Each structure stands twice: as C-alpha cells, then as structure tokens.
Amino acid sequence: MTFDLASELAAARILAVIRGTDTAGAIAAGTALLEAGVRIVEVALTTPNAASAVEALRAAAPAGSLVGAGTVLTAADVADVAAAGAQFVVTPAVVESIPEAARRGLPVAAGAFTPTEAYTAMRMGASAIKLFPVSVGGPAYLKAVRDPFPDIPFVAVGGVSLADLPGYFAAGAIAVGVGGPLVGDAASGGDVDALRERARAYLAAVS
C-alpha cells in the first residue's frame, strides 16, 4: 500500500506516540487508541520489544489506520521495523534512518528543531517534519520556522496538551504528535480506560 504520509497526517490531525516500559502495555495502549478512533500510531523503539508491538498492532488495526515506529535512528532500525510491518517511521533528529527509509519507500516524519535541520531532512527524503521538542518555543516558534518553508508539512511534537492544540494548528501545523499528555502511563501497564477518555477528548478537539 502506497500512501502520502503528510496527507494522512493532515487528515487525521493526531499522531499518537506510544513509549512505554512494557511490551504488553504498549500493545494494550495502541489497541485502545485504534479502537477509540485514533488513526495513526507510532511505537517508539525505546519500548521493550517494540517491533513485536508494531507487528501486533498492525494485525489488530482497523482499515484506514496506520501503524509506524518511532525513535528510528539507524539503517538497521529501519530494516527491523520494516520487517515488523511498520508503515512509516519517525525520527527524533536528522539521522541516517531518513535516507534509508526513503530508499525503501517507507515514509518518514523526520525530527528537526532548526530551519537548517528541517530543510536538510526534507532533502534527505523525509515526507514531513516533526518539529521537536516544539514546547521549547511553542506555536510562535513553529510559525517562525514555517514562514520561510510554507511547503514543508510540519507536525508539532513534544509536550502538546489538549489546550495547546488550537495554537499549533493556527500556527500552521498539519498535525500534532502526542505522547505523555495522551497516552499517560497506559503503555507501561497503567490505566487503559483513562487513556480511552483522553483519546476521545483529543479526537473531539480536532474533529
């Protein structure tokens, strides 16, 4: 299946970031998010056995959903997550996984913080830029970085709360990536019902 990651992100508006300490917890959190209607989820490779979590979520994902891998740093990481069925990759920085994923036809949301990094990552084959950690400068910083690059699709990631959403969308983000404020402790074996409530709130805010 080929798809345009930036278009999918712009339509979904939310990228859920699952980063946990427990494989089963990560799978439970991802399953709850997908069941709640969150269409795009990533499992960070800092989660134990993240590739198996990706594989499990791919098998359970409803039609129209996308399951990817985050914190993908190296060419070897790309090979591992591709084998697990990841449909896209996310990086925290401008790293070697970007051109490797692009070479394989695997869409990349590349982590960048400065204008130079954003431009460089796009030249390396990224489909979108994950402006991270966006909370350092907030919506005003996103707007400042985006102004000279109106054609780069920016996703605001890093400490984005429910209350922050309108500001980031007004500043031009195509989507937001949300980890802790949405997932909480669910990916480490915590309360999945509370996660479902938060997911509903985020979805309502972007609908």
Side-chain angles (χ1 to χ4, degrees):
M1 179 184 99
T2 58
F3 62 93
D4 181 74
L5 180 61
S7 297
E8 294 289 340
L9 287 164
R13 306 288 262 173
I14 292 175
L15 164 65
V17 182
I18 299 167
R19 186 186 301 280
T21 58
D22 176 75
T23 312
I27 294 169
T31 302
L33 286 162
L34 291 163
E35 288 173 349
V38 175
R39 284 186 43 234
I40 307 180
V41 301
E42 71 164 92
V43 179
L45 290 191
T46 50
T47 304
N49 300 310
S52 62
V54 168
E55 203 168 349
L57 291 174
R58 270 301 310 271
S65 304
L66 296 172
V67 177
T71 324
V72 177
L73 302 177
T74 66
D77 288 342
V78 175
D80 289 344
V81 302
Q87 292 165 287
F88 64 92
V89 301
V90 183
T91 80
V94 181
V95 287
E96 69 178 65
S97 57
I98 299 169
E100 175 60 19
R103 185 185 71 77
R104 288 171 171 262
L106 204 54
V108 190
F113 186 68
T114 67
T116 300
E117 289 171 353
Y119 180 76
T120 300
M122 291 300 289
R123 296 272 296 187
M124 290 167 76
S127 301
I129 294 301
K130 163 187 157 177
L131 194 65
F132 173 81
V134 76
S135 58
V136 173
Y141 182 70
L142 167 63
K143 182 181 184 305
V145 175
R146 187 176 169 271
D147 279 349
F149 302 119
D151 296 331
I152 292 181
F154 282 99
V155 181
V157 183
V160 179
S161 72
L162 199 54
D164 296 329
L165 299 183
Y168 285 118
F169 289 127
I174 63 162
V176 296
V178 194
L182 170 59
V183 180
D185 64 356
S188 299
D191 191 338
V192 175
D193 288 333
L195 166 60
R196 289 191 180 95
E197 287 294 323
R198 291 190 296 271
R200 283 192 279 269
Y202 269 88
L203 289 166
V206 300
S207 65

